[in-house]
Amino acid sequence: MTRLIRMAVILTIIAILFVVMTTAPKAEELDSQYWPVATRQQLHDLTENLSGERILDTIHYLTQYWRWAPSHGFHIVAQHMVDETKSYGLQDAHIERFIADKKTRYFGQTMNRPSWDPIAAELWVVDPVKQKITSFSDIPMSVAGYSRNTDVTAELVDVGDGSSPEDYAGKDVKNKVVLGSGAVGSLQQMAVFQRGALGVLSAWAPDLQTSRDPIDFPDFVTWGTGVVPESATGQPSTFGIMISRRQREVLLNLMKTGKPVKVHVTVKADFEEPGYLEVASAVIPGTEFPDQEIIFSAHLDHPRPAANDNDSGSATILEIARVLEEMIKSGQLPPPKRTIRFLWVQEGRSTRSWIVSHPELSKHAIANINMDIVGSDTEKTRAILYYWASSSSHPSFVSDIVEDYFELVRNVNNDKMPTEPLSPILSQTGSSRPFIGSIQRYLRPSDQSFLISAGIPGVNFAAWPDQFHHTQFDTPDKSDTTLLMRVAFISAASAIAAANAGPQDFEALLADVAGRAHVRLGEDLLKGLRILDHADAKNLQSAYREAVNVIHEGYAREDRNLQSLSVVAANDQKSIDELRQQQTTFRASETVSLQQVEFTYQARAGNSAGIGQDSPEELRAKNRVPVWIEETDPEGVFQRLGKEKINKLQILHYTSQKQEPFVPDFNVTLFETLNFIDGKRSEQAIRDAVSAEYSAVPIGVIDELFDALAEAKLIQIKTVAP
Ligand SMILES: [Zn+2]
């Protein structure tokens, strides 16, 4: 080769390289451009129609009301949602009511909830000095739930924490007012119901969910929840006043003088039995598949002010209802093929009664998008936005669509790629910060969990952990209109996609769901390999079995998730065939993942190591199939078994959240164990599914739970031939 030719070749290579390098899109650009079903124009129009400020206005409106579930205050705001959605043009806007007495059961449990509205309350020291401590007008949250009309002057007794019998040793609290730092529900039980106190002052300040340290917040007054309208023997509630740590110090200092301290407590409250749980509901009807609903939900109840928890979620879905309806009217969006429903509920309570009253929905609804705390300003509240996908028992392609839009919003706000379909989403008065959000595969219970229990896949948004959660400082100034707008955009765009997806979108959605499946399966492989890595020689074989189980169940989950796309395929044969093909390919790739785990196992254990035999308990569990007699959720189990029995169950120790005292609806292992009961899966299959999702649960733990459920007549156990 002459020098000249060599030079020419080199120059050509450089030129080709230059062209390749400058025209090939960067990997991040490719990856950030994906958004399903909706058009670029529709997304653009959506950002221009949504108003974070409008959402904040609704938050301001809602915070005027004490919204106990149930109460007149709640009814007023529920009616507001009905009136607003009607004025936008939504259909079938109405309030549904469900009696909440001692005998009517919803989803396996009674919900005895009288209607209760606090009107006024004051706490004064009258002896040895006269000093006002707090009042309902100053801090609405200073009245504990189910406080009744009261006008008493009595001596104050300090019981320390007041949650255990030892706190009362040598103290006479009868006909006195008790001061404690424990939870007001425990104080009510220990001091009022068991020892005849007139009522309680509670300086309870921690938060079981955020684990904030009360030392940092001496002025926090927390929501007085956990109280009951009457004791187990029918003794009526009296009163509870919620005070801050600082106010408690004031009272303790007065008591230090040795003279009896007398307080004067007045409460005026409206108390009606029975109460009625309520749900406000409105729809944008679907044109082709009206029963395949996409259900937005947000809990509208809570004490005053409760701006971020959860006026933010309630106000955000109201804004989505307005914008979608207006965009449809103006022709910016086609009328949806599937119905889009909006529900404003009383957290858990009316959600349960509503879902059991609409059994047809459980069969056909596609997915639920729930919002529980979505406005929390990151700097003020220290919360970031979380997105929780649907749980493994009920996966859905809608989860993946929401994830797509979540990532799109993160990309347009943080990377500011010129190739994106949108400009950064910023409200006019909110922050202009990057979008800090996290996608979570595992469940955080809120109202979506009650729909999952009823068979509808559900996703949830929550800004967390908001340090003002359940205190008097959860006020509208802690909401960021930019974040509100971003959440509204993610979920509205997702609803547009889910409500309109059809065979023309099938291939794109299939590629998306299959691609995301492999990401999750990669995480499962990582989890499986870590289980092996953490094992010592003694438990290596059982670790191997759990690792295999994680992989196998991961593939089963993704198969169910792919199957959820069949509603999009509808009757289109080409799509149906493609879906089947994809599912077959997945089954084949499971073998490859299992080989990787096996390889790692054998490298550690030696080539002759096998998977081991089933234990007699495991063999037995394979022949036991639980079938619901009366379907329920963790709270129902708690109620039907009773505290004493449930506290002995080992499953309580298998939860991803360390909670003391036990909060039944936060035990995700119990929650999913119940969700996997379908009359087909054996006890062993349920153990395997829930163990892969969270952490390994011994079969004896599940066995014990199912025996208890059978004894309580919630399930029956079918024995099938081996
Ligand atoms: Zn809350």
Side-chain angles (χ1 to χ4, degrees):
M1 219 188 283
T2 65
R3 243 177 113 172
L4 209 67
I5 294 175
R6 209 183 296 148
M7 193 77 136
V9 169
I10 290 169
L11 280 174
T12 313
I13 290 171
I14 290 172
I16 290 171
L17 275 176
F18 181 77
V19 171
V20 168
M21 284 168 69
T22 49
T23 55
K26 279 182 272 170
E28 312 88 84
E29 286 180 6
L30 274 178
D31 146 283
S32 64
Q33 281 178 55
Y34 187 75
W35 68 92
V37 186
T39 66
R40 188 183 286 260
Q41 187 63 44
Q42 287 167 352
L43 297 184
H44 173 80
D45 293 344
L46 188 57
T47 59
E48 294 203 327
N49 281 286
L50 286 169
S51 161
E53 284 72 17
R54 229 182 140 114
I55 301 174
L56 188 58
D57 280 348
T58 305
I59 294 175
H60 273 284
Y61 167 81
L62 295 172
T63 51
Q64 300 172 82
Y65 297 94
W66 180 282
R67 309 169 308 277
W68 188 255
S71 63
H72 295 293
F74 182 91
H75 182 80
I76 292 168
V77 292
Q79 189 59 46
H80 178 76
M81 295 307 178
V82 167
D83 296 343
E84 285 293 299
T85 48
K86 249 186 208 165
S87 76
Y88 305 154
L90 269 77
Q91 295 187 21
D92 197 25
H94 68 289
I95 292 179
E96 284 183 56
R97 303 183 85 205
F98 308 92
I99 192 163
D101 59 14
K102 291 173 204 167
K103 55 179 196 294
T104 312
R105 284 218 291 258
Y106 302 101
F107 220 68
Q109 59 210 285
T110 53
M111 280 177 279
N112 178 26
R113 301 281 297 182
S115 172
W116 178 75
D117 290 85
I119 298 159
E122 286 192 8
L123 166 63
W124 287 76
V125 174
V126 288
D127 199 27
V129 291
K130 193 157 190 234
Q131 183 180 348
K132 185 175 132 188
I133 302 297
T134 191
S135 79
F136 177 71
S137 336
D138 298 332
I139 296 178
M141 228 176 258
S142 63
V143 187
Y146 290 133
S147 289
R148 298 186 191 237
N149 287 343
T150 301
D151 188 342
V152 296
T153 302
E155 193 184 328
L156 190 63
V157 185
D158 170 38
V159 293
D161 182 82
S163 307
S164 56
E166 302 84 72
D167 294 332
Y168 296 85
K171 283 177 187 164
D172 178 19
V173 299
K174 199 171 164 62
N175 293 324
K176 293 178 182 162
V177 174
V178 157
L179 168 66
S181 60
V184 66
S186 312
L187 288 167
Q188 183 193 35
Q189 291 293 339
M190 304 295 280
V192 177
F193 292 153
Q194 294 170 19
R195 292 173 179 80
L198 295 170
V200 302
L201 314 183
S202 165
W204 173 247
D207 188 61
L208 290 176
Q209 297 171 41
T210 61
S211 47
R212 65 176 167 237
D213 189 341
I215 276 180
D216 296 332
F217 307 102
D219 295 309
F220 271 17
V221 173
T222 61
W223 181 18
T225 176
V227 288
V228 287
E230 59 177 51
S231 72
T233 56
Q235 199 183 328
S237 57
T238 57
F239 68 86
I241 301 290
M242 305 303 295
I243 58 172
S244 68
R245 294 262 147 159
R246 197 190 301 277
Q247 288 164 339
R248 177 171 178 254
E249 284 303 311
V250 168
L251 294 170
L252 290 176
N253 280 336
L254 282 170
M255 291 166 100
K256 268 186 202 150
T257 61
K259 279 192 208 150
V261 171
K262 278 191 180 167
V263 290
H264 181 205
V265 183
T266 53
V267 174
K268 200 163 176 274
D270 185 273
F271 202 109
E272 286 169 36
E273 285 183 279
Y276 288 85
L277 300 169
E278 293 184 318
V279 171
S281 168
V283 297
I284 302 175
T287 52
E288 278 183 50
F289 312 105
D291 54 350
Q292 294 179 6
E293 296 198 357
I294 317 295
I295 304 172
F296 276 106
S297 60
H299 77 80
L300 185 56
D301 62 306
H302 264 18
R304 188 179 164 197
N308 278 319
D309 180 18
N310 182 33
D311 291 342
S312 63
S314 299
T316 301
I317 70 169
L318 181 68
E319 174 66 354
I320 293 170
R322 181 188 72 84
V323 168
L324 292 184
E325 181 68 30
E326 281 187 7
M327 286 177 68
I328 292 163
K329 263 195 218 130
S330 68
Q332 288 172 303
L333 279 178
K337 290 180 186 156
R338 302 185 175 85
T339 298
I340 304 176
R341 184 181 291 276
F342 297 86
L343 288 184
W344 288 272
V345 300
Q346 293 164 339
E347 191 170 11
R349 301 184 178 93
S350 71
T351 320
R352 271 193 205 102
S353 45
W354 185 85
I355 196 71
V356 294
S357 310
H358 297 274
E360 74 289 357
L361 263 173
S362 297
K363 288 192 206 103
H364 303 293
I366 305 272
N368 166 228
I369 301 175
N370 186 59
M371 295 195 188
D372 188 355
I373 314 181
V374 292
S376 310
D377 182 293
T378 305
E379 276 181 14
K380 291 178 187 164
T381 69
R382 301 189 197 163
I384 65 162
L385 186 75
Y386 283 91
Y387 163 63
W388 275 273
S390 191
S391 67
S392 173
S393 64
H394 293 81
S396 166
F397 72 97
V398 177
S399 264
D400 290 337
I401 289 181
V402 181
E403 212 166 310
D404 291 333
Y405 280 106
F406 194 97
E407 284 179 358
L408 180 69
V409 169
R410 190 154 61 190
N411 290 334
V412 299
N413 289 294
N414 301 2
D415 300 346
K416 301 185 174 66
M417 289 284 183
T419 52
E420 296 295 353
L422 300 169
S423 314
I425 298 175
L426 302 168
S427 74
Q428 305 227 25
T429 58
S431 77
S432 54
R433 286 193 285 269
F435 178 62
I436 307 171
S438 168
I439 296 169
Q440 299 284 312
R441 276 175 61 186
Y442 305 107
L443 191 87
R444 177 174 186 272
S446 176
D447 284 291
Q448 92 283 11
S449 47
F450 301 100
L451 276 84
I452 293 175
S453 289
I456 303 169
V459 304
N460 186 37
F461 288 96
W464 200 251
D466 185 321
Q467 64 178 351
F468 303 109
H469 180 248
H470 288 184
T471 74
Q472 82 273 37
F473 294 109
D474 181 7
T475 43
D477 57 299
K478 312 295 191 317
S479 297
D480 174 11
T481 49
T482 289
L483 180 62
L484 289 164
M485 202 174 156
R486 288 170 180 173
V487 179
F489 174 85
I490 296 166
S491 41
S494 304
I496 293 169
N500 290 312
Q504 74 282 359
D505 310 296
F506 188 79
E507 269 176 33
L509 284 176
L510 181 63
D512 189 40
V513 170
R516 288 200 177 278
H518 279 291
V519 174
R520 287 185 286 264
L521 290 165
E523 287 170 3
D524 290 340
L525 180 60
L526 177 66
K527 184 174 170 180
L529 294 175
R530 279 185 180 156
I531 290 173
L532 275 176
D533 184 50
H534 291 167
D536 52 30
K538 223 170 50 244
N539 58 21
L540 192 59
Q541 192 179 58
S542 64
Y544 173 56
R545 293 181 71 156
E546 295 300 346
V548 166
N549 183 54
V550 168
I551 307 292
H552 181 66
E553 289 296 330
Y555 276 91
R557 176 196 64 234
E558 295 307 335
D559 187 65
R560 292 195 291 277
N561 197 26
L562 283 165
Q563 188 57 37
S564 75
L565 273 172
S566 60
V567 291
V568 180
N571 297 321
D572 181 58
Q573 195 54 47
K574 186 168 165 282
S575 303
I576 295 168
D577 292 345
E578 272 178 57
L579 179 60
R580 275 208 202 108
Q581 232 167 45
Q582 190 65 258
Q583 284 172 303
T584 312
T585 315
F586 260 77
R587 277 189 276 278
S589 58
E590 182 180 340
T591 321
V592 181
S593 294
L594 289 174
Q595 275 166 357
Q596 295 216 29
V597 176
E598 194 186 332
F599 170 78
T600 310
Y601 172 55
Q602 297 207 327
R604 278 193 61 189
N607 278 332
S608 58
I611 192 153
Q613 299 285 318
D614 283 342
S615 68
E617 292 79 30
E618 285 167 328
L619 287 173
R620 176 171 171 266
K622 281 184 175 169
N623 302 334
R624 280 161 52 98
V625 176
V627 186
W628 284 116
I629 298 171
E630 192 175 0
E631 205 169 349
T632 194
D633 53 38
E635 278 191 45
V637 170
F638 192 79
Q639 191 182 93
R640 294 290 284 276
L641 265 59
K643 204 171 173 183
E644 211 169 295
K645 253 189 213 161
I646 199 159
N647 278 336
K648 286 189 192 132
L649 292 181
Q650 300 166 73
I651 196 152
L652 295 203
H653 304 294
Y654 293 86
T655 171
S656 70
Q657 318 237 355
K658 290 204 171 67
Q659 297 269 340
E660 277 303 327
F662 172 57
V663 183
D665 49 350
F666 275 83
N667 187 317
V668 287
T669 305
L670 174 57
F671 171 75
E672 277 289 81
T673 302
L674 303 178
N675 290 339
F676 279 116
I677 298 176
D678 62 356
K680 293 184 206 102
R681 286 187 179 92
S682 71
E683 201 172 285
Q684 181 67 32
I686 293 171
R687 188 230 72 105
D688 289 347
V690 78
S691 296
E693 188 174 3
Y694 298 114
S695 58
V697 185
I699 189 62
V701 172
I702 303 290
D703 205 45
E704 176 194 65
L705 170 72
F706 286 168
D707 282 342
L709 297 183
E711 204 187 302
K713 303 239 173 334
L714 285 165
I715 60 169
Q716 58 174 351
I717 298 174
K718 248 182 2 193
T719 312
V720 295

